[in-house]
Amino acid sequence: MIVQRDGFDERSRMVLPVSLCMIVRNESRFLADCLRSAAPYVAEMIVVDTGSTDDTIAIGEACGARMLRAAWTDDFAAARNISLAAAGQPWILVLDADERLAAASVETWAALLDDSSKQGYYVKLHSWVESSSGAGTGSMSVVTDAVCRLFRNDERVRFRGIIHEEAASSMIELGGEESIGHAAGIEIWHEGYRDEIIAERGKYERNGRLLSLALAGEPNDPLLRYAAGTELFTAGRYSDALTWLEPLLEAAIVQDQGYGSDLLLKIVYGCRAAGRLHDAARYAKVGALRYPDFADMHTARGEVLLDLDDAEAALGCAVAAASIGEVPPYYSTAEGAGTYRSRYLGGAALERLYRFDEAAQAYVSALAHKPDYRPAWQRLLLLGLLHAPIRGYWRQAGEWFGVATASEGGEASVAGDRHLLSEMEAIFSDLGLREEEMASIWPLLRSMHSGSGWERGTAASAVAAAVRPLLRSVWLVQQGEALGALEAWGGSAIAMARSPVAEAQRCLAAGWTAAVGGGGQAAADDFAAAADAVGARPWQQRAAAAGLAAVFAAQARRYCGADLLPELRSEELLELLLGTTVLAN
């Protein structure tokens, strides 16, 4: 039942019959924000502290939470169940301190809580995930899962598992799978997968120790083995993760749509990262057939097929993923699957097929969904810088970006301050860009100006950080400074990766810059090295062959005389062919 209470919630003046239940330890960094986000939607807040040595308890009490103390026993379920036992409201909401409850109308909550057919609900959990590059800087993406965090207060419903604990199993035993619905409109945002936070808390070490304890008691439990593989996968130990995950394809958990789809997707990515491309393609094909409405699987399959240099098939996967659009809530999904990432994949496939105009359209389509998506901007600008007719697509993409960055509070209009860094002005001039071409992407270019007011971390500065090295790299190539171009593009970061795939990529980039700069022999040597690199992927080997062919054609005309040999289409577009193929992700 929902009652009214003056002053509790100015929007609706209603109190929801919900107990917030949490467990914490040394969460002074996050706890206050978490409690503030949940306070408008709960009647009480119960927080079990398992041994904090900072001011977590004081913060919780200041925010109005009922703070309980309990000894930590290496058992997450046991700690959570202490909080459930103390709850006094008919419904329970479970959060972690590094999570925030997204704003929603109380009416949305009320409709869910009044549904007598539901024992509980899966809630969308969005986690920020950081992917570190060789240069030591990370890019952020969002992964979305469905987690059962809102359920009726019933003493028969309790968490299970000393790690990766869950309460859904006990609900399903009581009322069947249909008793748990999906809470449309209620979402949680999670900070804890950022690299800094993982390192600070020692999550991998703690989770590994607890999983070892759990597996010692139940060595054949498929969910524990899945959890062990997931921990290794998250830590980047892909080959080790596969030894746990691949055998589970015969386990009963694959019958569950959520577990089965995520298991297969992790196996695909793991095989790809481990260089087992044909196995990755085989698993991805199974996944796409088994889960035809799972855009992430189609996108992953397309990425593998691009590695195998099957651009036509990869394009088909991109189209299939984009046709799905929003991923159904029962899948664990990465941001952009079915929208901008799928369209970007289509653009990459079209580039490999030398259908450059269509590729540019695909990148514009990706930017319509996410105007600050750096990879799409890089590819679209590279295409236009190397092939002037493509620049016609810059205006539309620039308009998308201008609308997005204007919402951040900065000026993004063409009529604004036109002062850019002097270095950028020189580069644009030397690249031969016309005033109207620069104006078409002025919202983006303005973000490169140090005095434009953009704060670090905004969409504008994030895109500028990715685009500026590209512009300088292309300019250096056209000036004949191949080594400088490679360094500007990120050659040092590539070298730091120290993988065979990265070595092939470094050689390809060096070959491109040498070829465009007129160094035919150096380019040929670099392309040959790329083709011979141990672990080079099929598309990289073809790129090396294409580079050699283009260089030899150009040299033949130079040495034999242009009047004796016809000019080839590939020679006309030498920079475009090499640049788009060599520098593709």
Side-chain angles (χ1 to χ4, degrees):
M1 177 181 178
I2 298 173
V3 298
Q4 293 186 349
R5 185 174 73 194
D6 289 346
F8 181 79
D9 182 358
E10 294 181 357
R11 292 170 300 173
S12 64
R13 305 173 67 84
M14 293 192 298
V15 178
L16 296 167
V18 180
S19 297
L20 172 65
C21 292
M22 301 177 60
I23 59 173
V24 298
R25 183 177 184 179
N26 292 335
E27 293 288 3
S28 59
R29 178 178 177 182
F30 295 111
L31 182 58
D33 287 340
C34 176
L35 294 176
R36 280 194 288 265
S37 74
Y41 309 100
V42 300
E44 65 174 351
M45 299 185 290
I46 299 167
V47 181
V48 175
D49 187 274
T50 61
S52 292
T53 57
D54 61 6
D55 55 353
T56 292
I57 292 177
I59 291 172
E61 290 174 341
C63 291
R66 177 185 170 195
M67 302 299 296
L68 306 178
R69 291 173 173 83
W72 175 245
T73 61
D74 280 344
D75 189 329
F76 276 97
R80 291 205 186 275
N81 289 336
I82 292 173
S83 70
L84 300 191
Q89 294 295 316
W91 284 84
I92 288 173
L93 170 69
V94 175
L95 293 177
D96 287 334
D98 57 4
E99 296 173 345
R100 309 286 178 273
L101 190 63
S105 70
V106 177
E107 289 75 18
T108 296
W109 281 78
L112 295 170
L113 304 185
D114 285 343
D115 188 343
S116 60
S117 69
K118 298 304 178 188
Q119 179 72 27
Y121 292 97
Y122 293 108
V123 179
K124 281 188 177 181
L125 174 67
H126 306 291
S127 298
W128 289 104
V129 178
E130 188 168 6
S131 176
S132 293
S133 69
T137 57
S139 59
M140 301 302 300
S141 59
V142 176
V143 174
T144 300
D145 296 293
V147 292
C148 188
R149 296 290 195 86
L150 179 63
F151 48 87
R152 293 184 185 276
N153 188 351
D154 186 325
E155 63 182 9
R156 297 170 297 176
V157 174
R158 289 295 183 263
F159 280 92
R160 299 172 181 175
I162 68 174
I163 187 170
H164 294 287
E165 68 284 4
E166 52 81 31
S169 296
S170 57
M171 289 178 235
I172 292 172
E173 289 175 2
L174 288 174
E177 292 186 4
E178 64 278 2
S179 67
I180 308 179
H182 288 272
I186 300 179
E187 301 180 2
I188 301 169
W189 285 87
H190 176 221
E191 297 282 337
Y193 288 149
R194 296 178 187 266
D195 289 351
E196 172 195 358
I197 299 171
I198 289 175
E200 177 184 299
R201 297 179 175 180
K203 277 190 173 183
Y204 293 142
E205 295 79 7
R206 180 202 67 192
N207 290 357
R209 178 174 57 82
L210 293 180
L211 277 169
S212 295
L213 289 174
L215 284 164
E218 300 179 86
N220 296 317
D221 184 286
L223 291 180
L224 286 176
R225 298 182 70 84
Y226 166 80
T230 296
E231 287 294 326
L232 292 165
F233 181 91
T234 304
R237 296 170 56 185
Y238 299 111
S239 294
D240 292 336
L242 290 170
T243 64
W244 290 89
L245 297 177
E246 284 186 278
L248 292 177
L249 288 173
E250 304 300 323
I253 64 170
V254 299
Q255 304 303 319
D256 181 279
Q257 199 163 28
Y259 280 116
S261 60
D262 189 61
L263 173 65
L264 259 174
L265 189 63
K266 282 185 168 64
I267 290 174
V268 171
Y269 278 124
C271 285
R272 184 185 179 209
R276 295 169 49 190
L277 297 181
H278 290 286
D279 286 337
R282 175 169 54 86
Y283 285 127
K285 182 178 181 180
V286 171
L289 291 173
R290 187 174 296 174
Y291 309 106
D293 58 344
F294 190 18
D296 298 68
M297 188 67 72
H298 291 286
T299 302
R301 186 185 181 201
E303 291 168 349
V304 173
L305 291 169
L306 269 188
D307 285 343
L308 290 170
D309 206 22
D310 190 346
E312 284 283 3
L315 179 59
C317 293
V319 171
S323 68
I324 293 170
E326 184 175 354
V327 178
Y330 40 81
Y331 291 126
S332 176
T333 179
E335 180 186 20
T339 55
Y340 63 87
R341 284 200 300 115
S342 300
R343 285 164 170 77
Y344 175 79
L345 171 65
L350 288 161
E351 281 194 52
R352 299 283 181 85
L353 296 168
Y354 306 126
R355 293 159 60 179
F356 299 121
D357 190 79
E358 293 172 79
Q361 295 177 45
Y363 295 138
V364 171
S365 178
L367 291 168
H369 288 271
K370 187 174 176 62
D372 63 338
Y373 189 47
R374 291 187 293 175
W377 266 115
Q378 286 181 328
R379 304 311 304 174
L380 183 61
L381 285 174
L382 181 61
L383 285 171
L385 290 170
L386 297 179
H387 194 49
I390 297 295
R391 297 173 194 172
Y393 293 104
W394 287 359
R395 180 177 299 279
Q396 185 177 358
E399 290 172 353
W400 288 120
F401 187 82
V403 170
T405 54
S407 66
E408 294 178 342
E411 294 180 357
S413 67
V414 176
D417 178 14
R418 293 199 167 205
H419 175 69
L420 292 171
L421 297 174
S422 58
E423 178 188 21
M424 287 295 100
E425 290 178 329
I427 289 176
F428 291 133
S429 176
D430 288 348
L431 287 174
L433 294 182
R434 300 191 305 274
E435 180 74 14
E436 60 269 25
E437 291 171 338
M438 286 192 287
S440 69
I441 54 170
W442 201 259
L444 174 66
L445 305 186
R446 271 188 45 77
S447 70
M448 299 178 189
H449 172 43
S450 59
S452 63
W454 298 115
E455 297 180 1
R456 186 177 182 182
T458 64
S461 64
V463 174
V467 168
R468 187 174 176 184
L470 167 65
L471 298 177
R472 179 161 179 78
S473 177
V474 173
W475 177 73
L476 287 168
V477 166
Q478 296 189 347
Q479 301 300 309
E481 298 182 29
L483 293 178
L486 179 59
E487 183 178 356
W489 178 256
S492 59
I494 293 174
M496 289 178 67
R498 309 251 181 232
S499 72
V501 173
E503 175 61 17
Q505 194 75 347
R506 187 194 67 78
C507 292
L508 285 171
W512 174 58
T513 53
V516 177
Q521 186 58 53
D525 291 342
D526 286 321
F527 288 136
D532 291 338
V534 176
R537 291 182 168 169
W539 80 265
Q540 292 174 316
Q541 293 172 332
R542 181 169 73 88
L548 283 169
V551 168
F552 291 155
Q555 285 183 317
R557 281 174 54 79
R558 187 178 303 118
Y559 296 140
C560 298
D563 56 334
L564 298 178
L565 291 173
E567 186 171 0
L568 303 177
R569 178 66 173 169
S570 62
E571 190 178 350
E572 285 180 30
L573 300 177
L574 175 64
E575 295 178 13
L576 186 64
L577 290 171
L578 293 181
T580 56
T581 306
V582 169
L583 296 179
N585 292 329

